[in-house]
Amino acid sequence: MRTILIVAAKEFQDGVRNRWVAAISIMLALFAMGISYFGAAASGGVGFTSLSTTIVSLSSLAIFLIPLIALILAYDTIVGEEEQGTLILLLTYPLQRSQLMAGKFVGHAGIMALATLLGFASAGLMIAIFSPVVSMEELLSAYPLFVFSSILLGWIFIAMAYLISAVASEKSRATGLALAVWFLFVFVFDLALLGMLVATGGSVADELFSYLLLFNPTDIFRLLNLTSFEATRVQAGLVSIASDELMRPVVLIISMVFWIVIPYLLAVWRFKRRVV
Amino acid sequence: MTQDAIQLDEVTLRYGQVKALDGISLTIPRGEVIGLLGHNGAGKTTTIKLLLGLLSPASGAVRVFDTDPAHSPRAHELRRQIGYLPENLSFYPQLSGRETLRYFARLKGASPQEQNRLLQEVGLSHAADRRVKTYSKGMRQRLGLAQALLNQPKLLILDEPTVGLDPVATRDLYNRIDILKQQGTTVILCSHVLAGIEEHIDRAVILAGGRILALGNLDELRHAAQLPMHIRVRGSLPEEGWMSRIGEQGVSLERINGSQYLFTTPESEKIPLLRTLVKEPGVKDIEISEPSLEAIYTFFSSQWRM
Ligand SMILES: Nc1ncnc2c1ncn2[C@@H]1O[C@H](COP(=O)(O)OP(=O)(O)OP(=O)(O)O)[C@@H](O)[C@H]1O
Ligand SMILES: [Mg+2]
């Protein structure tokens, strides 16, 4: 346990020192404020809109940005340290590979959580202060879940980045894989599902499609943030087909946790077998 | 518990098609300083990685202090007692020397006082708060040495430790090895720089193509190699008499200039030759040079190539 914390502390300090935390927070805050203000431009005029519209826009932003940030933050955690030459020395220390990975995960997860919290909380504060339509109470009803699930989303993609990092033989391959994963879960998966929906002409049960959504963590995230708003289901595109059973937040949160644990365990398993 | 620090028994290891180690058997007693020598690609680093548990053998057994370094549940504890300086050393460029050493010290459970003492001993105190990125090659090597010495290891493995070190730092390193030896530390010194290490190692093992070519202390190796030795004589010798006596015994003589001669003699003829030389009235000085480690190494290596 002590060992894990030593590694975690180093990883976290690196993140703070490299200005990762600051850069991510500021970027998220700026984008979030921009989107909340200009997000409704399509439906006429700029300015703050209802909370539901804001959350829908922010969710799209989070789905786009957070996986990308998490992957960039962590894709080289093993392969990068191997190429840098520090891994071999580290592994001769009294430190199991699983401990090394756990420590790094705690550190990266901390960086991601802190940055997301800082970025989105400051944006939330701005909305609460300047928006004439959204009150603080209303905001507090849905916004914390949004921030919390954004953090989970980040952790999911950190775990996936670890898997990439433990599998890839070179850093350049890890970069390619990370981009592929991002494209897959942010664009390709939904497009493929949509294509299937159109192709089958809706003859296949909606039920099946709603379960397929669980195979994409970004869709789970989207579902989770729309459950509280009946009205927004219309605006939410693909996820509007999800069955009510699936819409229960507990189910969705548990699914997200699975999406952290499984890639993480696979990464540890691969790392233990890796020849350095 | 055995008295041996390291036991390798018929160890083989492959990297895909490449057979890196081919039946290595080697026992190193506790407290010995052993030189691990061999051509590029001979299998030195691979042997070291086996001892560190970074690789496990395809067949054969590896024991370090009676523990299997790759699979034993006690391997974790074993690593606390091993110091290692890797051949391609690199650190986290963004950390300072002090921070780097602190990180490794924490992982090994070494005290902060020890960190400062080591920084001082390797001569890095003045640069300890600079980023490692700004260090010269030799400074990085010194930092590597400091981390290897953390926690007073019972086994110290140095893979080409003198690369990049200046002459003074190199001498300091050898002196330190002598001190560690007195304290009972087992040291594996892997090096291509043979000049200067012979006084500091108890035995040498010469690897070639994944096999052990020769093993023993310097005298044993010299004996096995049957290398001739050189005796340099200053003074004057009655030429005709000497020249006629020499050829028969395998001794050759070369006249360097008017007052210097160089004898080349097999080991067996050394003493008889010296006895005769001492009695010569014209001889003013005799200088004996035994074959150096480098010469021994060259001899064995040339055998392998054939
Ligand atoms: N990771 C690897 N993958 C494939 N082959 C390897 C690997 N590491 C070493 N080898 C091969 O194993 C053999 C032994 O290599 P090793 O690194 O042990 O040599 P060495 O004695 O340390 O050489 P050097 O003096 O150059 O450091 C060489 O033929 C080398 O090409
Ligand atoms: Mg080597």
Side-chain angles (χ1 to χ4, degrees):
Chain A
M1 194 59 208
R2 218 183 87 84
T3 314
I4 296 176
L5 288 180
I6 295 169
V7 178
K10 172 182 180 291
E11 214 60 44
F12 186 79
Q13 277 164 10
D14 283 356
V16 173
R17 199 197 291 223
N18 300 342
R19 313 230 158 67
W20 263 104
V21 176
I24 302 172
S25 319
I26 292 169
M27 188 165 68
L28 288 180
L30 288 179
F31 271 105
M33 284 185 256
I35 282 246
S36 334
Y37 193 76
F38 296 107
S43 50
V46 294
F48 289 110
T49 52
S50 70
L51 182 64
S52 56
T53 316
T54 307
I55 295 269
V56 171
S57 318
L58 284 177
S59 298
S60 300
L61 173 78
I63 286 170
F64 190 80
L65 277 185
I66 286 182
L68 192 62
I69 294 169
L71 287 166
I72 294 173
L73 180 70
Y75 80 98
D76 68 342
T77 193
I78 299 299
V79 74
E81 196 150 328
E82 183 179 292
E83 259 173 44
Q84 185 179 273
T86 43
L87 185 64
I88 188 147
L89 184 55
L90 212 49
L91 291 180
T92 65
Y93 272 69
L95 162 77
Q96 280 152 21
R97 292 187 186 203
S98 55
Q99 289 178 316
L100 178 62
M101 207 167 228
K104 282 178 169 285
F105 188 82
V106 173
H108 279 144
I111 292 171
M112 207 58 207
L114 181 66
T116 309
L117 196 67
L118 287 177
F120 282 159
S122 51
L125 205 63
M126 289 300 186
I127 297 170
I129 294 171
F130 294 110
S131 168
V133 279
V134 182
S135 69
M136 185 61 114
E137 292 75 47
E138 200 189 349
L139 192 73
L140 280 178
S141 69
Y143 204 73
L145 179 70
F146 166 70
V147 177
F148 172 69
S149 54
S150 297
I151 292 174
L152 284 183
L153 186 66
W155 291 356
I156 289 172
F157 281 87
I158 290 175
M160 288 202 226
Y162 278 21
L163 181 54
I164 291 169
S165 199
V167 170
S169 55
E170 286 145 38
K171 205 167 151 174
S172 52
R173 290 202 190 175
T175 315
L177 277 173
L179 274 178
V181 164
W182 184 70
F183 267 108
L184 175 68
F185 288 116
V186 175
F187 299 109
V188 180
F189 188 94
D190 284 8
L191 280 179
L193 216 58
L194 215 55
M196 245 163 85
L197 203 60
V198 171
T200 55
S203 62
V204 178
D206 279 358
E207 195 76 355
L208 175 66
F209 278 110
S210 35
Y211 281 108
L212 283 177
L213 288 176
L214 293 184
F215 284 91
N216 183 351
T218 63
D219 282 333
I220 305 177
F221 172 81
R222 212 190 293 270
L223 283 173
L224 188 57
N225 282 292
L226 299 177
T227 43
S228 31
F229 308 105
E230 228 11 76
T232 58
R233 294 186 69 170
V234 193
Q235 311 167 14
L238 194 60
V239 298
S240 59
I241 60 168
S243 70
D244 286 344
E245 183 59 26
L246 270 182
M247 295 295 255
R248 284 171 51 215
V250 197
V251 177
L252 296 171
I253 289 174
I254 290 174
S255 314
M256 287 186 91
V257 172
F258 262 96
W259 267 104
I260 300 170
V261 173
I262 289 169
Y264 178 80
L265 290 180
L266 284 174
V268 172
W269 176 73
R270 282 303 299 245
F271 182 37
K272 280 188 172 169
R273 263 148 204 80
R274 193 182 174 103
V275 176
V276 296
Chain B
M1 198 178 93
T2 64
Q3 281 306 299
D4 295 325
I6 287 162
Q7 292 164 306
L8 295 178
D9 188 23
E10 286 297 322
V11 170
T12 60
L13 187 132
R14 311 177 148 274
Y15 294 104
Q17 291 303 306
V18 183
K19 199 166 200 177
L21 297 181
D22 185 9
I24 300 269
S25 294
L26 175 65
T27 303
I28 302 175
R30 287 176 194 238
E32 181 170 270
V33 179
I34 192 163
L36 183 57
L37 319 176
H39 61 85
N40 294 127
K44 303 180 296 292
T45 300
T46 305
T47 306
I48 288 173
K49 285 185 177 175
L50 280 170
L51 299 177
L52 292 165
L54 292 171
L55 296 171
S56 47
S59 69
V62 179
R63 292 283 177 278
V64 178
F65 297 125
D66 294 317
T67 306
D68 177 346
H71 301 110
S72 164
R74 281 182 298 146
H76 200 68
E77 195 45 47
L78 177 67
R79 288 177 183 186
R80 231 177 267 285
Q81 303 171 352
I82 301 181
Y84 170 49
L85 177 69
E87 68 179 332
N88 298 315
L89 183 64
S90 61
F91 291 111
Y92 303 102
Q94 76 281 9
L95 295 188
S96 72
R98 195 186 303 285
E99 287 164 334
T100 303
L101 200 58
R102 187 187 304 146
Y103 181 48
F104 286 114
R106 282 187 183 152
L107 288 174
K108 225 171 191 173
S111 70
Q113 296 92 291
E114 197 183 355
Q115 296 163 39
N116 290 332
R117 183 173 57 76
L118 283 171
L119 279 172
Q120 192 135 37
E121 284 182 12
V122 299
L124 274 183
S125 298
H126 67 287
D129 294 310
R130 274 165 49 190
R131 290 181 176 213
V132 174
K133 189 160 65 177
T134 69
Y135 279 18
S136 70
K137 167 88 182 99
M139 288 164 82
R140 257 177 281 142
Q141 197 71 3
R142 288 165 186 241
L143 185 58
L145 214 55
Q147 67 76 31
L149 292 168
L150 281 168
N151 229 13
Q152 301 183 318
K154 287 204 289 183
L155 171 63
L156 182 63
I157 301 179
L158 305 171
D159 201 346
E160 306 189 20
T162 54
V163 173
L165 289 187
D166 61 47
V168 174
T170 305
R171 201 193 55 218
D172 286 351
L173 170 67
Y174 291 149
N175 289 342
R176 174 177 289 278
I177 290 176
D178 293 344
I179 295 169
L180 288 169
K181 181 183 157 51
Q182 282 163 21
Q183 294 167 351
T185 313
T186 310
V187 183
I188 297 179
L189 177 61
C190 177
S191 182
H192 292 299
V193 186
L194 304 181
I197 72 166
E198 35 202 288
E199 307 97 77
H200 305 281
I201 57 175
D202 296 317
R203 285 197 299 166
V205 52
I206 304 177
L207 295 184
R211 292 166 180 270
I212 293 183
L213 213 56
L215 168 69
N217 63 35
L218 246 58
D219 284 340
E220 288 164 349
L221 291 176
R222 267 187 204 118
H223 193 73
Q226 291 282 320
L227 286 180
M229 49 185 57
H230 299 292
I231 298 176
R232 191 181 287 268
V233 174
R234 255 178 274 272
S236 60
L237 293 171
E239 210 150 309
E240 301 84 44
W242 275 96
M243 283 303 190
S244 58
R245 281 171 47 193
I246 286 164
E248 314 151 16
Q249 297 149 327
V251 181
S252 67
L253 172 59
E254 185 189 340
R255 184 165 190 172
I256 297 173
N257 57 36
S259 61
Q260 279 197 42
Y261 305 83
L262 185 68
F263 288 91
T264 306
T265 163
E267 208 189 347
S268 56
E269 290 306 314
K270 178 172 95 174
I271 298 295
L273 180 64
L274 281 175
R275 279 210 184 93
T276 329
L277 278 173
V278 168
K279 285 177 203 148
E280 275 296 334
V283 170
K284 294 200 179 71
D285 190 20
I286 301 174
E287 191 185 303
I288 307 165
S289 55
E290 305 222 65
S292 63
L293 181 57
E294 202 151 346
I296 297 171
Y297 173 83
T298 311
F299 169 78
F300 282 109
S301 302
S302 65
Q303 295 246 306
W304 178 69
R305 291 193 197 286
M306 287 191 296

